[in-house]
Amino acid sequence: MLRTALRNVLAHKARLMMTALAVLLGVAFVSGTLVFADTTATAFRNASAKSLKGVAVSVRAEGDPATPAGEEEGQRTTALDAVLARKIRALPGVASVRPTVNGEATLAAKNGRPVNAGNNSQNLATNYLRDKGGKDSHFPLKEGRGPAAEGELALDAKTAEKAGYRIGDTVRFATDGPALTKKLVGIVTTDDPQVTAGGTLTLFDTETAQKLFRHPGQFDEIAVAAQDGTDERALTDQVRTLLAGKGVRATSGADLAAEQSAQIAENTQSLTKTLLVFAGIALFVGVFLIANTFTMLIAQRSREIALMRAVGASRRQVVRSVLIEAALLGLVASAAGFALGLGIATVLRPLLNTTGAGLPDGPLVIMPAAPLSSLAVGVVVTVLAAWLPSRKAAKIAPVAVLSSVDQAPPARALVVRNVLGTLLTAAGVLVMFYVSTLTTSTESHLMTAMLGGVLTLLGVIVLAPLLSRPLITLVGRATTRWFGVSGKLAKENALRNPRRTAATASALMIGLALITGLTVGGHSAQRAMDREATQGLAADYKVTNSTARGLDADAAGKVARVPGVAAAAPVTSAGLDTRGRYAVITGTDPKAFGKAAQLDFQAGTLDDIGPGRIAVSDEFAEQAGLHVGGTIDAELGSGTDSGTDTGTDSGTNPGIDAGKTGTDTGKARKKLTVVGIYARTRAADDALGTLSDVLPYSTSSQELENVLVKAETGQAPGLERKIRAALGDSPLLKVRSQEQLVKENNGPFTTVLNMMYGLLGMAVIIAILGVVNTLAMSVFERTREIGMLRAIGLDRSGVRQMVRLESVVISLFGAVLGTGTGIFLAWAGGSLMTTSMPLYETVLPWGSLGVFLVLALVIGVLAAIWPARRAARLNMLHAIQSA
């Protein structure tokens, strides 16, 4: 039986090719993901190890206290200073100490545009620490020298190339305020993963770095190197004893490496799981192709199997023969899939880094688990998919040697299948209807939605043979009317074996259902995000600062004096606590705000707002029981004593978020009169007051969060450069039009959406292979029939047309099921989006849905090219004599 299995594999190479390709693609996805995960984790660990090389103890402050009044926002106080560094250096066993100052510096490229303006966390800045030789071994010089004076800096090679700077150029940058300039005196190399993944690195001499980010003589970290033979744990204990009571934490190099390793594993685990989910979808679709292929092969070899039974082969031996054949196919395809997976793993890192993932460079790493898991997955999936066909083969009786090779499935089996499919579909639909009533996206609700979606898909898959007859008959009427005999024959061929047709269409249905659901949900979410990004805004530009620090209080006045500006509305916000309700009050100039924003007042007007007089949103008025004319005793501010977590979306008011809580902005109780009620928008949250009432207690430390700019008629184009110039043209400034606000708001979401389209595209490709394979094997199975059709007058073009139309009919059937199921799942699950997107509503992208149907037609035509050509080239006499 083993020899028989080997012979069958070699004898049906062409017929098994598409099946092998489906297994290959699925396994490539799995192996690529596993190798990518190992490679990324190893690259992070290597980068971490390099940064910790020679570090026996790391000394860091446990927390920075609030900035004292009168001091610069960017300067932070720390217990780590030069005196402490000298004391640590004097400890026995210490070879050296490296005190560092860390911050962020956003560069302006030579063309004036900010470099990495939207990702300040990757704009690294630190001190260049000279050794006795005048160099810093941590940052090897490539050109020039290290910075040694206040007016000098150095850049890493990638940053200098990206920004277009050369030695001797004047570099413009900003840390947390106005633009600064210094001379570029050196270019260094670094293996910091944040820099190699697209970040920037700016180096200053130690004194300058302290002035920019700390205080003179103070540091962020002191890295301690041990002498040879010194016990790292013992040295760490000595340092801890020295630091007792100073608010400083000492961590051994080993513990720090373990912490970073755990963090790396956690960061890469979620991405790996996501990619493996899509790999699982691809393999699940491949199961239909594999099962279909072996079912058709067994039907075509029924006489051969009956003969084997007649000469003494048992049912168990027949099952083993088919499963061995499947295992061999799976093994070969999995090996090829693993090789392809290495290519996928290679391109994933640069692909993800284009989205800002920040993955470090590193060699390809192949752990033993990756190839073993890939081979096991491919073989197991193939064998499991072939198990039911093998049992069918075992049931072929020896006397069946003269029976038909293509019998219709027993009625009883279809009845059982239809009942099971109805129950599964009904359960899935009921669960999804329940999900449609939910308005919160908790983990349990998401799991319920996933369960409902899986049940619905499984139910439709099981019911597909029942649904195929009416739908294909309907499509067949059109093909018969338009294409005559070829169209009618195509319809009859598709209806000949409903289970085979359904299995072929189901693979395509799954891919299109997921893509349709993703498209409908993504389109609806993008529409909601577009509306939220500019809700209530009439301004042509929104001016903000890309760091936590806000804009100067006089920024609106400077912008208002720019030629072409009709109005510049200053905007800031503060916490407002009244009647046990915590809210956010926006402070502005009501007159200018009226030109830059659009508010729908239900009572009162914007002109009624003044000192001590505020308007509130309809939602807050209802929650707190407020009405026009009422007076409230409110506490303004969000000082450290409140400990309140605002939870406000930073996109709504960039100055208000949990990260800002704890800033000592001062608190005060004020009596405020409600003079208006408006519909809540993104431009104005819970309450709206004057700038003078809100600014002293704002969460951005008495600074503006943004300025809304309304241009004079026809003056908006080109106004951005004038606004930037008026405000000092700092690289930290962000002057965005409404279109740019929408694009920036949707950017990460669109990137993820496109990535998911690409991942689901693998499932659709496998489904197309399934259509090709089914048609090709169907042509082989109907060789004698095609010969008879040719003999009675059907020409070669008619045969090609018949096969093409059959492919189109099957593809359209899968597309209709897929798009319909996907729309339903997207509609039912859309309610879970309303928590994070109040403006979310399901919107059907008719253009995209039309494209999917056209795509199904194209898939049908393309999938039939090879089978149709093969059918048309059959020799008429040889075909009649076959079978």
Side-chain angles (χ1 to χ4, degrees), residues 180-491:
L180 304 171
T181 57
K182 295 185 186 297
K183 183 180 179 181
L184 178 63
V185 297
I187 294 177
V188 304
T189 60
T190 180
D191 51 18
D192 189 300
Q194 287 181 283
V195 180
T196 57
T200 64
L201 174 65
T202 308
L203 300 173
F204 306 96
D205 67 279
T206 300
E207 290 75 14
T208 300
Q210 289 171 334
K211 288 180 181 178
L212 291 172
F213 308 117
R214 286 287 182 184
H215 288 278
Q218 294 187 347
F219 304 96
D220 288 281
E221 180 183 10
I222 298 176
V224 183
Q227 295 176 358
D228 292 340
T230 301
D231 183 81
E232 186 176 291
R233 297 288 182 184
L235 182 58
T236 303
D237 291 338
Q238 290 185 57
V239 174
R240 285 173 180 166
T241 302
L242 175 67
L243 301 176
K246 297 182 180 294
V248 176
R249 179 170 60 94
T251 308
S252 68
D255 289 342
L256 197 60
E259 289 176 9
Q260 293 187 2
S261 180
Q263 186 64 44
I264 289 167
E266 183 179 345
N267 292 341
T268 56
Q269 189 177 35
S270 58
L271 178 59
T272 303
K273 286 181 177 179
T274 301
L275 293 174
L276 285 176
V277 166
F278 287 96
I281 292 172
L283 284 170
F284 181 66
V285 172
V287 165
F288 290 90
L289 194 163
I290 298 166
N292 230 15
T293 300
F294 277 94
T295 299
M296 296 178 73
L297 278 175
I298 287 164
Q300 294 169 16
R301 285 159 37 195
S302 60
R303 292 184 180 180
E304 175 188 330
I305 295 171
L307 183 60
M308 290 171 59
R309 291 294 314 282
V311 297
S314 66
R315 290 188 174 187
R316 183 174 297 181
Q317 286 178 314
V318 172
V319 171
R320 287 177 182 173
S321 175
V322 176
L323 294 183
I324 290 172
E325 185 177 344
L328 292 173
L329 174 69
L331 186 62
V332 174
S334 298
F338 178 76
L340 179 61
L342 297 181
I344 293 176
T346 303
V347 301
L348 268 178
R349 186 196 62 79
L351 180 65
L352 290 174
N353 275 346
T354 60
T355 68
L359 303 176
D361 292 326
L364 206 62
V365 176
I366 305 174
M367 299 290 188
L372 293 177
S373 300
S374 302
L375 293 175
V377 166
V379 172
V380 169
V381 166
T382 309
V383 170
L384 287 178
W387 182 70
L388 285 177
S390 72
R391 288 180 59 84
K392 182 179 178 181
K395 292 179 182 179
I396 298 176
V399 295
V401 69
L402 299 177
S403 63
S404 171
V405 296
D406 191 23
Q407 296 176 342
R412 181 182 175 186
L414 288 178
V415 169
V416 172
R417 178 173 182 149
N418 293 340
V419 171
L420 178 61
T422 302
L423 292 175
L424 284 172
T425 305
V429 169
L430 288 175
V431 171
M432 293 310 297
F433 272 121
Y434 166 71
V435 170
S436 69
T437 64
L438 303 175
T439 56
T440 56
S441 56
T442 62
E443 185 176 351
S444 61
H445 290 166
L446 291 173
M447 294 301 294
T448 303
M450 290 178 63
L451 174 63
V454 170
L455 287 175
T456 304
L457 278 173
L458 288 177
V460 174
I461 290 169
V462 176
L463 275 180
L466 178 65
L467 299 173
S468 65
R469 184 164 294 278
L471 290 177
I472 291 178
T473 300
L474 182 63
V475 176
R477 289 180 181 175
T479 59
T480 302
R481 182 174 180 181
W482 295 338
F483 300 100
V485 174
S486 296
K488 184 174 182 179
L489 289 171
K491 180 195 72 173

Side-chain angles (χ1 to χ4, degrees), residues 532 646-657 682 685 745 836:
E532 288 177 1
T646 66
T648 304
D649 179 10
S650 60
T652 304
N653 280 298
I656 306 174
D657 55 45
R682 189 164 185 167
D685 279 323
N745 197 47
S836 56

Side-chain angles (χ1 to χ4, degrees), residues 772-806:
V772 175
N773 212 28
T774 299
L775 290 174
M777 298 184 74
S778 179
V779 167
F780 178 85
E781 162 180 295
R782 304 200 312 262
T783 299
R784 189 163 184 262
E785 176 187 319
I786 293 172
M788 292 296 295
L789 289 172
R790 290 291 314 283
I792 61 176
L794 189 65
D795 58 12
R796 292 181 186 273
S797 62
V799 171
R800 282 195 294 267
Q801 190 176 71
M802 176 187 70
V803 177
R804 280 198 299 265
L805 290 175
E806 181 182 353

Side-chain angles (χ1 to χ4, degrees), residues 130-146:
R130 293 171 173 269
D131 55 21
K132 293 180 181 179
K135 297 182 180 181
D136 188 341
S137 59
H138 203 68
F139 301 108
L141 280 169
K142 184 178 180 181
E143 296 180 49
R145 58 177 176 82

